[in-house]
Amino acid sequence: MNSENQNWIPNLIRQYRFENGEMTQQVLADTVGVSRQTIISLEAGRYNPSLMLAYRIARAFDLFIEDVFMLEDVEKKRS
């Protein structure tokens, strides 16, 4: 994960891809309407998603945004 980007929101995208039949980055990208490179960047911590993209990713796994993106971890680091 990216320790250089202090504003990066940790996520569990990779974990949920593997829990969903080892879904590939390309399949997830196609499902949510972005490029595979966007998924790679999200997983690597180089990019934070828009609210709409975060929602679409969560829905792809039938989860809530809070299940996939760990905003609480960011808030704790700022305290």
Side-chain angles (χ1 to χ4, degrees), residues 40-65:
I40 291 168
S41 293
L42 287 166
E43 290 182 354
R46 292 189 299 264
Y47 174 72
N48 282 327
S50 66
L51 180 58
M52 185 56 71
L53 178 54
Y55 176 78
R56 290 193 317 249
I57 290 169
R59 296 309 303 150
F61 300 124
D62 199 28
L63 297 169
F64 294 105
I65 291 174

Side-chain angles (χ1 to χ4, degrees), residues 17 39 41 43 46 54 69 79:
R17 281 194 307 104
I39 301 301
S41 293
E43 290 182 354
R46 292 189 299 264
F69 297 93
S79 301

Side-chain angles (χ1 to χ4, degrees), residues 9-13 15-16 49 51 53-59 61-73:
I9 300 172
N11 68 70
L12 299 174
I13 296 171
Q15 175 182 324
Y16 286 122
L51 180 58
L53 178 54
Y55 176 78
R56 290 193 317 249
I57 290 169
R59 296 309 303 150
F61 300 124
D62 199 28
L63 297 169
F64 294 105
I65 291 174
E66 298 87 0
D67 296 328
V68 181
F69 297 93
M70 309 296 117
L71 189 56
E72 307 84 44
D73 292 348

